[in-house]
Amino acid sequence: MLGTIERAGQVLALFTAERPEWGVSEVARELDLGKTRTHALLSSLAHVGLLHRMQTGRYRLGFRVLALSRVLLAHTPWREVAAEEMRVLAARVGGHVGLMAFDGLELVTLAEVPGTRPQERVAPQNTAAGRVMLAHRSSRTVQAVLAAHPGQATASSLEELAADLKTVRRLGVAILMHGPDSQRWEVAAPIRNHTGEVIAALNLSVAAPHFARDGAVLQREVMASAALISTRIGYDGPSSFPRRGSE
C-alpha cells in the first residue's frame, strides 16, 4: 500500500505548468514502470478525481486537486497574515515578493506580490527560499531533496551547499543570484510558527542593479518582515532580526 501511495505521489509530481499533460508511455518511461502498471495507476487516480483522462487518452490534473488546494489555503490562516506584510514589503522596497514552503520535496509558492508570474521549475537548492528551508531541515531531508533533483549539483558544489546552509542557519538569511546572466538577486528569510519551526520562507526577487544599489537595506527589510510575520502568528522566541526600517 505504501509503495502504491509513493508511486501516486511521483505521478502527481510530474504535472507542472511546463508539462500539464502526460501520456501513459511518457509516465512509464519517466518513472521506469511497466505500461500495464502505469495505466492502472493513472486510471485509479482518474477514478478518484486526482487526474482527468482526456479524449486523446492523455492525462491532466483533475478538479479534485483544486478542491483540496482550496481546503488547504482556507485552513492556512497565517498565509493571510503573511500576505499583508508582503504587500507592505513590496511597497517599501519594490521587487517581487513570494511566500514559499515545501510540499514533499518540492518548493511551492503559497502567495505572491504583485500578482502571479510564470513559475519556473527550479531545484530548491538553487533558490534563496529553498536554501532557507533546507538550512532548517535534517541532513536526511536535504539529501532526499538533492536526490529528487539529479544533475543539479556536483560533488564540489554539494560541499559548498552544506557550508552555505550552515551560514544561512547562523545568519537567518539567504542571498542568491538567480538566472544565468546574473539578472536578478534573491533574498530570503525564515518564517517560524509558535513552536519555533520554520514553516515557510519570505523571498524577495529584485533586478541586479537594484540589489547592487540597496542590497544591505533589502536584506534588513526582508529579515524584519519575516520576523514580524513570525511574531504575528505566535512565535515569541529569540530573534536577531533587525526591525523594519532600521539602519
Side-chain angles (χ1 to χ4, degrees), residues 11 14-15 19-31 33-35 38-43 51-54 56-61:
V11 169
L14 293 177
F15 293 84
R19 292 200 62 179
E21 297 181 7
W22 287 78
V24 174
S25 297
E26 294 170 332
V27 173
R29 184 165 54 251
E30 187 74 15
L31 300 182
L33 294 173
K35 287 187 178 180
T38 301
H39 182 270
L41 183 56
L42 293 174
S43 296
L51 291 181
H52 170 70
R53 187 177 184 276
M54 300 181 295
T56 60
R58 296 173 66 78
Y59 289 83
R60 280 180 172 264
L61 289 177

Side-chain angles (χ1 to χ4, degrees), residues 42-120:
L42 293 174
S43 296
S44 296
L45 291 172
H47 179 72
V48 297
L50 294 175
L51 291 181
H52 170 70
R53 187 177 184 276
M54 300 181 295
Q55 291 185 348
T56 60
R58 296 173 66 78
Y59 289 83
R60 280 180 172 264
L61 289 177
F63 284 106
R64 184 71 178 276
V65 174
L66 179 60
L68 292 174
S69 296
R70 287 174 174 169
V71 172
L72 174 62
L73 294 178
H75 292 275
T76 310
W78 56 266
R79 175 176 171 269
E80 294 304 318
V81 172
E84 292 177 8
E85 299 302 334
M86 290 165 64
R87 288 190 286 270
V88 174
L89 177 62
R92 287 179 63 88
V93 303
H96 186 277
V97 183
L99 178 67
M100 323 292 286
F102 267 128
D103 178 14
L105 302 178
E106 299 288 334
L107 192 67
V108 297
T109 301
L110 302 180
E112 294 178 292
V113 177
T116 59
R117 61 177 181 174
Q119 293 297 310
E120 301 175 73

Side-chain angles (χ1 to χ4, degrees), residues 171-193:
L171 297 180
V173 65
I175 301 173
L176 200 65
M177 179 188 72
H178 186 69
D181 300 319
S182 306
Q183 296 175 345
R184 301 191 70 82
W185 282 80
E186 294 180 338
V187 182
I191 295 175
R192 299 177 182 272
N193 65 9

Side-chain angles (χ1 to χ4, degrees), residues 123-175:
Q125 65 268 25
N126 292 338
T127 68
R131 293 199 178 194
V132 164
M133 298 299 294
L134 289 174
H136 296 86
R137 293 296 185 270
S138 67
S139 58
R140 177 178 296 181
T141 298
V142 173
Q143 290 298 325
V145 169
L146 296 180
H149 300 274
Q152 296 289 339
T154 63
S156 59
S157 65
L158 290 178
E159 296 179 358
E160 295 173 0
L161 175 62
D164 184 67
L165 294 182
K166 183 177 180 179
T167 300
V168 170
R169 191 163 52 248
R170 176 173 58 85
L171 297 180
V173 65
I175 301 173

